[in-house]
Amino acid sequence: MCGIVGAVAKRNVVSILVNGLLRLEYRGYDSAGLVVVRDGKLDRVRSNGRVAELELKSANTYGELGIAHTRWATHGVPSERNAHPHISRDLIAVVHNGIIENYETLRTGLTTQGYEFTSDTDTEVIAHLIHSHYAQGNLLAATQQALAQLVGAYAIGVVAADNPHQLIAARKGSPLLLGVGECEHFVASDMSALLQVTKNVVYLEEGDVVEVNLADYRIFDAQGKAAQRPVHVSELNNDSVELGEYQHYMQKEIHEQPQALANTLESVCNSQSLVPGIFGAEANNIFPKIENILILACGTSHHAGMVARYWLEELAGIQCTVEIASEYRYRTSVANPKTLVVTISQSGETADTLAALNHAKATGHAFTLAICNVPESAIIRQSKLRLLTRAGPEIGVASTKAFTTQLAALFLLTLVLAKTRGRLSAEKEQQFLHELRHLPSAVQKVLALEPQIAEMSKHFADKHHALFLGRGLHYPIALEGALKLKEISYIHAEAYPAGELKHGPLALVDKDMPVVSVAPNDALLEKLKSNLQEVRARGGELFVFADADTQIKEAEGIHILQMPEHAGFLSPILHTVPLQLLAYYVALQKGTDVDKPRNLAKSVTVE
Ligand code: F6R
């Protein structure tokens, strides 16, 4: 949420800033801006549109030190005056990601001191605060003093007009990393913004403040003490953040799923047996002690948790609760120290999930496990155990490959816990390992159905509502299908367990309500078929994603997408893919901005 880039170099940094913002635009795209320092002055360019517009506006701007920002509005509507950077008295410029909770009090105090506010943002107080401490010309000290007055979350970049080779950056509660070049340095919200200039990265830690100069940098920890942080070489390459042959990142990421799954499962599929160690060294001690599982996550990641509940209870025989992270933290719950708390997050920085994790720890849960796509993210660092999904950067706002890899990771967790609890025979273990090895090619087969799904999507172009049905462990897949459709096509979509239709939602069904059903060839198939008849009898048009051998036939008002053979416990992973494609093609029909749906952003770092 909001993306930051900063650079200090012996060359014009404007294109570095703009290219960086283009990579970070998924984090927010309400407005964008940059500032460079040149000849003792701040030269600021802002646009109330996308980064592409900023690029045009800043084509003739030059500066060797600068900071830039792409915004997802929290305080103040999207507008040029609210776009970052914010400037105090032509001297201090600041970009900020996060929320300053005490900004109103600070604003009142600063107004009394004579500071004039030109925006509605919380960020502007940071610029004025730093300015108020800058009398001695020490930007680092002024920033540290200002930060001490802030309550809330932030990642910031700061420059001063009279300080042509220095950039100060800091983080607390929002991600920020430092890129190390040859006599040039950079900061950014994530590594994808910096691959254009360096692969050497320092992950800043909570409370770190860094003074970045041309030749070197100095890091200070939350207590203000000089700190050493290791330099990592990023494994990402530029291809992983380029669109390549695809029209949208979402389409690219849907097609990357076979590889993403293969990467996530690599270490396991190359071995002959499953061991707790894949979740971290301490898993050997922790897993035998746990009595039940609590899964905390938001949105799509929450749906992954809902699928896992079916697996964990059936295969591992372990009781599992799944909670929406933002709700869990605000209710009084009873902690059991023998519960394994599992957080699931693509970004690893979702504020609600992070807060829920911390709440769980504060109430006495010591066993924590993160399933996450971003190494070094806050959720990973704050959990005892972890399994990284290796989906690669997910840039489309609608989560796709992160979801299916989360499912794969959760299936591994299920199998390892089943084994720990003596519920997985050697023969079954080999069978599941075989099925996991086969999973990428099974997903590839489903992707081959893309042309039929594109055709099917045409039926949705003029619709305003849709119902999604699933049963058992495919009910969360119906929820995920509905979420994908609503977030990128803006069609109102609801998902129900098919058996629940007659308890209310059937009243909605008529010829204008397309009903999408996930129809795996599992134990609930015959029940589901009856539910579909109920829909058809009321004139509802059915779109059924049916496994081979389900014997559901194409007929008037019944459209069938023929899926491959039933994949057993892994079926939810396969059934997700056509629903992602359906949402994608419906969005194309509707002409929406697929990768940047309105009002949304990736990495929701605010409550
Ligand atoms: C939907 C989507 C969101 C995220 C949710 C949690 O397509 O992407 O619902 O799943 O915001 O994000 P993470 O997984 O990063 O914690």
Side-chain angles (χ1 to χ4, degrees):
M1 226 156 225
C2 297
I4 289 178
V5 195
V8 51
K10 270 271 169 229
R11 53 178 167 148
N12 189 5
V13 296
V14 171
S15 64
I16 298 172
L17 298 178
V18 169
N19 286 333
L21 287 188
L22 285 168
R23 295 274 170 261
L24 295 181
E25 216 174 3
Y26 69 90
R27 301 180 65 88
Y29 32 85
D30 292 336
S31 54
L34 62 84
V35 74
V36 289
V37 175
R38 190 176 187 187
D39 302 332
K41 291 205 174 76
L42 295 172
D43 187 0
R44 175 170 66 177
V45 188
R46 295 188 288 180
S47 105
N48 186 28
R50 295 284 166 87
V51 176
E53 195 180 310
L54 181 73
E55 186 172 19
L56 289 176
K57 282 175 103 173
S58 60
N60 298 321
T61 310
Y62 185 96
E64 298 181 357
L65 167 68
I67 47 178
H69 187 264
T70 177
R71 179 169 188 249
W72 186 83
T74 56
H75 295 72
V77 295
S79 65
E80 194 165 317
R81 67 189 285 276
N82 287 332
H84 301 211
H86 290 287
I87 291 182
S88 180
R89 296 188 178 168
D90 296 329
L91 187 60
I92 302 291
V94 171
V95 288
H96 166 224
N97 170 23
I99 288 191
I100 303 306
E101 289 166 20
N102 59 337
Y103 87 101
E104 278 173 334
T105 321
L106 294 170
R107 191 173 167 130
T108 309
L110 288 160
T111 309
T112 316
Q113 288 176 49
Y115 284 99
E116 267 178 46
F117 282 79
T118 58
S119 78
D120 310 313
T121 66
D122 52 341
T123 303
E124 199 178 350
V125 299
I126 309 177
H128 293 314
L129 267 184
I130 295 174
H131 183 279
S132 71
H133 295 298
Y134 191 54
Q136 295 85 26
N138 184 338
L139 191 58
L140 172 68
T143 305
Q144 284 171 317
Q145 282 168 276
L147 293 180
Q149 293 173 263
L150 302 181
V151 176
Y154 54 77
I156 58 164
V158 188
V159 293
D162 59 354
N163 207 341
H165 301 299
Q166 192 177 76
L167 157 64
I168 306 294
R171 65 153 292 186
K172 188 177 153 212
S174 296
L176 198 68
L177 46 84
L178 173 74
V180 181
E182 298 245 329
C183 271
E184 51 185 23
H185 291 99
F186 314 91
V187 293
S189 302
D190 91 39
M191 193 57 206
S192 59
L194 299 185
L195 289 174
Q196 51 166 333
V197 281
T198 184
K199 285 195 146 202
N200 299 327
V201 56
V202 175
Y203 296 102
L204 296 177
E205 295 195 3
E206 274 298 277
D208 277 358
V209 180
V210 57
E211 180 194 80
V212 189
N213 301 301
L214 267 178
D216 56 16
Y217 59 87
R218 294 193 297 156
I219 299 175
F220 300 89
D221 66 16
Q223 282 69 45
K225 293 205 191 91
Q228 299 295 324
R229 308 272 178 244
V231 180
H232 299 265
V233 179
S234 171
E235 285 176 15
L236 287 182
N237 59 42
N238 243 332
D239 285 354
S240 57
V241 292
E242 296 286 350
L243 253 187
E245 68 196 88
Y246 295 98
Q247 222 184 323
H248 295 98
Y249 280 105
M250 182 178 179
Q251 188 192 25
K252 176 181 186 238
E253 288 158 8
I254 290 172
H255 280 270
E256 282 173 346
Q257 289 179 109
Q259 192 58 52
L261 285 162
N263 292 347
T264 302
L265 295 168
E266 190 182 3
S267 59
V268 175
C269 290
N270 286 341
S271 78
Q272 289 311 310
S273 81
L274 291 155
V275 289
I278 56 173
F279 295 93
E282 285 186 76
N284 275 315
N285 289 330
I286 293 175
F287 283 176
K289 293 185 189 141
I290 61 169
E291 284 177 354
N292 54 49
I293 295 200
L294 168 63
I295 296 181
L296 302 170
C298 304
T300 288
S301 298
H302 176 253
H303 295 156
M306 288 176 75
V307 176
R309 176 168 159 251
Y310 289 88
W311 287 335
L312 285 160
E313 298 217 349
E314 183 164 351
L315 289 169
I318 186 160
Q319 188 268 330
C320 174
T321 314
V322 188
E323 287 209 39
I324 290 179
S326 57
E327 288 295 312
Y328 167 74
R329 61 184 292 210
Y330 289 115
R331 78 177 179 84
T332 308
S333 54
V334 181
N336 173 352
K338 292 190 174 161
T339 298
L340 177 67
V341 177
V342 179
T343 50
I344 310 170
S345 175
Q346 187 286 128
S347 60
E349 58 175 279
T350 300
D352 289 323
T353 309
L354 198 53
L357 170 62
N358 288 326
H359 177 73
K361 290 204 277 190
T363 55
H365 291 292
F367 301 150
T368 54
L369 185 158
I371 290 181
C372 182
N373 198 37
V374 179
E376 302 294 333
S377 61
I379 286 175
I380 287 277
R381 277 193 265 133
Q382 292 176 33
S383 303
K384 234 179 204 139
L385 306 176
R386 74 222 38 197
L387 185 69
L388 268 183
T389 49
R390 294 177 56 209
E394 193 180 64
I395 292 167
V397 164
S399 188
T400 53
K401 60 179 179 170
F403 179 67
T404 43
T405 53
Q406 284 167 353
L407 289 177
L410 288 160
F411 194 66
L412 291 181
L413 177 65
T414 304
L415 296 184
V416 170
L417 288 174
K419 195 170 167 182
T420 311
R421 297 162 76 84
R423 292 176 63 110
L424 187 70
S425 67
E427 195 188 328
K428 269 274 169 212
E429 180 178 0
Q430 290 315 311
Q431 183 201 319
F432 283 130
L433 278 171
H434 173 77
E435 287 174 14
L436 285 169
R437 285 186 198 108
H438 178 66
L439 187 60
S441 65
V443 170
Q444 198 68 56
K445 265 196 199 166
V446 181
L447 286 168
L449 300 171
E450 188 169 9
Q452 286 114 284
I453 299 168
E455 204 46 42
M456 192 183 254
S457 72
K458 294 179 183 158
H459 294 272
F460 291 74
D462 60 344
K463 298 290 188 292
H464 299 289
H465 307 276
L467 263 185
F468 283 68
L469 304 178
R471 294 202 70 142
L473 81 169
H474 293 83
Y475 164 52
I477 301 308
L479 282 168
E480 177 58 10
L483 177 63
K484 288 293 91 103
L485 188 70
K486 69 183 125 188
E487 75 181 315
I488 62 165
S489 76
Y490 315 149
I491 291 178
H492 169 226
E494 298 281 348
Y496 280 93
E500 186 66 9
L501 263 193
K502 55 190 177 296
H503 299 290
L506 205 51
L508 293 170
V509 171
D510 64 11
K511 64 178 180 24
D512 295 321
M513 172 72 90
V515 179
V516 178
S517 178
V518 182
N521 190 5
D522 63 9
L524 289 168
L525 178 65
E526 292 312 316
K527 306 264 177 227
L528 178 79
K529 281 182 177 174
S530 310
N531 302 144
L532 298 185
Q533 288 306 329
E534 291 157 16
V535 171
R536 198 54 212 123
R538 271 106 192 143
E541 193 168 8
L542 284 164
F543 298 85
V544 187
F545 293 77
D547 283 353
D549 309 325
T550 50
Q551 308 298 336
I552 305 176
K553 299 261 172 348
E554 188 94 36
E556 167 95 32
I558 308 182
H559 310 266
I560 306 289
L561 185 97
Q562 203 63 70
M563 295 280 290
E565 68 282 5
H566 183 55
F569 283 103
L570 295 176
S571 170
I573 299 181
L574 298 193
H575 271 277
T576 299
V577 177
L579 298 184
Q580 296 168 339
L581 285 168
L582 180 68
Y584 174 72
Y585 279 99
V586 175
L588 288 194
Q589 297 286 331
K590 293 271 201 186
T592 57
D593 191 341
V594 172
D595 284 334
K596 300 186 188 79
R598 69 184 178 205
N599 305 338
L600 300 180
K602 218 161 174 77
S603 300
V604 187
T605 55
V606 295
E607 254 199 74

